[in-house]
Amino acid sequence: MPHPIRILPESLANKIAAGEVVQRPAAAVKELLENSIDAGAKAITVVVSRGGKSLIHVVDDGAGMGPGDAALAFSRHATSKIATLEDLERITTLGFRGEALAAISSVSQVEMRTRRPEDELAVKIRIDGGLLRESVPDAAPAGTSIIVRNLFYNTPARQKFLKTDAAEYRQICDVVQRIALAHPSVSLKFLNGEDTILDLRPSGLAERVSAVFGPKLARTVFPFEDEAPDMSLRGFLGAPDFTRKSRADQYLFLNNRAIVSRSLNHAVFKGYEHLLEKGSFPFFILYLSIDPRKVDVNVHPSKSEVKFGDEGSVYRFVNSAVRKVLSEHDLIPAAGITASDTQRSGEDTIFMQPAASSGPRSTDWRELIRTHSTRDDPAAGGYAAPTPRRKVPAPSVREPSADVKSEEEGMAPGASSPQGALWQIHNKYILAPVENGIMVIDQHAAHERVLYEKAVARFDDAVAGVQQLLFPHTFELSPADAALVAELLPYLAGLGFSVKLFGKTTIVLDGVPVDIKPGAEKTILPEILDLFKEDSHDVRLGPREKLAKSYSCKAAVKAGDPLNTAEMHSLLDQLFATKVPFVCPHGRPVLIRLSLAELDRRFGRTS
Ligand code: ADP
Ligand code: MG
């Protein structure tokens, strides 16, 4: 049963983070929606027009207010949600300040109808600029309907600070979206004027996420749940190809309240380490539950900043949960998430290898089994400490001459390449035994990653390696394609393509990047252009990134290309020298790791 509304005693009112609650329409919408949720509404409708400046109308089917309470609700510090200091220390409602209705009604024209289910008649109240104009019984459904007209009509200075209708509307959308995500069991309708923007039925979390963001997104996020002794976390993490160029798509909820927390955002971001390109941010929706007594929501008037009793432990919990999820989806090597700090950096520990000189060559499978089963004793097993990340790029994977060299000779002298046994399966995947398990590498994705980073580096350095062609190729292009080539000319040159334009539609190609495999000179350029065009709708990427992406995809070895051992070594060597070895430029995983523990589990072994 809700408490009656009371005016907070001054001593308690003074303890509440002071400041203005309603600075823009979106803030008013947020406060009204929070009131509906706090009133236990099961269905809410929001209508706004002109970015909320001319109208905000919120209707709910919640507890309503009695005739005595309705007018009181508009006084400052009038709230039914807390009464004592102890209440302030364990807040479970979204509101508690008793300021929103007072603030909104002092700068707008409000009309409210409210009725408790047990009352026969509703109360209708009209307030203009803080002055009570009317309070009369009226007929209305149970629940509360509040209409806010002409926000800031009596504060011209404030009105001038409002942005365009469209900009204010966008902020309202964000508020409504966050409320929708925080309360999936509440049915929510959102209209902009006549247009229905959202019409959400009560549902579970996953269904709500899919209804808000569309089913396509719902398929690119990983759902998960995790628990610690005094907190729990559930939610959805975007796959690395779903990264954004800003932090706008990061949704964080604490006890069903949308909050902002730089520290927790960072905890998530760090969990994605090595998976993200520079300047991109993961998409996530996270619901954190912590005992309300261990968090303070009373630090800012907007109530969206919070203070954790033990911020460090919340940070570590969130960070490790994220790393766990990503590793379970085989996006980061399991070695990267072991608790021991000495083993932290995945890229350095993942690739254990036999010592180049002392160890026997492990091409014999019997030898392999012996060395791997005695890996605890490096001397006996021929295992050395992991080689530090190579800084010098190894020779191109597809060195034309590599095909005829023996394995031994295929390696650059002195190169610290991993020399463990490698297998290519189905001309598609490379299989490598690693510490505590095996690693499966997608050869195309791996090479794509290598070439992509090389391409980006070349754009920056402007020193492209060009192979001059003995016989230049002449292409006839459509006018549109020729125009595209003209536009991309400097970038193509940056990559190592030597292209000349003749007339409107003829181009001559007389040099290609050194990485292009022999025989592909003729087809590579048109293929890259086609892929570039396919990607052209992607406004997140500039022409450089798009070109680097299409180039790396087309120039990389394909599934179906046989690789000899030297080529596989060279590829892995280069892969682990890249900045982001675990995902290809399109965000697909480059490698997965199958741990011995996982194999043991599947074989029903206990050890
Ligand atoms: P607060 O939410 O911080 O208590 P408000 O100014 O937003 O302060 O609201 C004042 C009081 O009015 C609330 O405590 C609540 O009792 C009542 N109230 C406001 N909106 C509603 C609603 N939609 N349904 C029922 N009661 C409401
Ligand atoms: Mg409120």
Side-chain angles (χ1 to χ4, degrees), residues 31 34-35 38 81 95-96 100-101 303:
E31 293 294 335
E34 289 187 348
N35 282 346
D38 283 345
K81 299 170 191 174
F96 55 87
L101 289 187
K303 299 168 289 178

Side-chain angles (χ1 to χ4, degrees), residues 227-232 294 317:
E227 227 162 298
D230 44 7
M231 48 196 150
S232 68
K294 297 193 170 145
F317 171 55

Side-chain angles (χ1 to χ4, degrees), residues 26-148:
V29 172
K30 172 174 177 282
E31 293 294 335
L32 295 176
L33 285 175
E34 289 187 348
N35 282 346
S36 297
I37 299 281
D38 283 345
K42 288 282 141 238
I44 305 175
T45 302
V46 197
V47 186
V48 298
S49 69
R50 290 203 43 224
K53 293 174 191 170
S54 63
L55 174 89
I56 300 170
H57 187 180
V58 175
V59 186
D60 69 52
D61 62 352
M65 285 172 262
D69 279 352
L72 195 54
F74 293 91
S75 309
R76 277 201 79 193
H77 302 307
T79 181
S80 57
K81 299 170 191 174
I82 61 169
T84 65
L85 189 58
E86 290 79 67
D87 293 340
L88 188 58
E89 280 159 8
R90 44 152 196 258
I91 286 164
T92 54
T93 49
L94 295 170
F96 55 87
R97 302 163 44 94
E99 290 205 301
L101 289 187
I104 293 169
S105 63
S106 67
V107 292
S108 67
Q109 297 161 322
V110 172
E111 187 177 315
M112 173 174 86
R113 281 180 184 74
T114 185
R115 176 166 81 80
R116 296 180 297 190
E118 64 266 33
D119 295 335
E120 216 161 286
L121 275 181
V123 189
K124 174 184 163 191
I125 282 192
R126 276 200 314 114
I127 298 179
D128 284 351
L131 296 174
L132 184 65
R133 300 278 190 209
E134 191 181 0
S135 172
V136 292
D138 196 7
T144 303
S145 152
I146 296 193
I147 301 172
V148 177

Side-chain angles (χ1 to χ4, degrees), residues 520-540:
E521 304 88 358
K522 238 186 193 157
T523 48
I524 188 84
L525 191 60
E527 282 179 0
I528 291 173
L529 292 178
D530 281 347
L531 198 60
F532 184 92
K533 284 185 286 183
E534 266 174 46
D535 248 4
S536 61
H537 59 272
D538 193 340
V539 292
R540 289 178 294 161

Side-chain angles (χ1 to χ4, degrees), residues 328-380:
E328 276 164 6
H329 286 84
D330 286 322
L331 283 165
I332 51 176
I337 59 153
T338 46
S340 125
D341 263 339
T342 54
Q343 253 208 322
R344 266 201 53 255
S345 167
E347 66 207 338
D348 288 349
T349 51
I350 184 170
F351 210 75
M352 295 297 281
Q353 47 203 266
S357 52
S358 64
R361 290 202 58 84
S362 310
T363 40
D364 181 315
W365 62 273
R366 284 185 203 86
E367 190 64 61
L368 258 176
I369 288 173
R370 195 184 67 75
T371 47
H372 282 263
S373 57
T374 54
R375 66 185 165 75
D376 289 342
D377 179 357

Side-chain angles (χ1 to χ4, degrees), residues 179-208:
I179 292 275
L181 291 170
H183 304 278
S185 63
V186 175
S187 141
L188 186 64
K189 233 178 164 164
F190 174 38
L191 290 92
N192 182 23
E194 309 268 281
D195 298 339
T196 302
I197 307 300
L198 287 174
D199 189 356
L200 304 168
R201 294 143 25 96
S203 66
L205 207 50
E207 218 184 303
R208 177 58 57 102

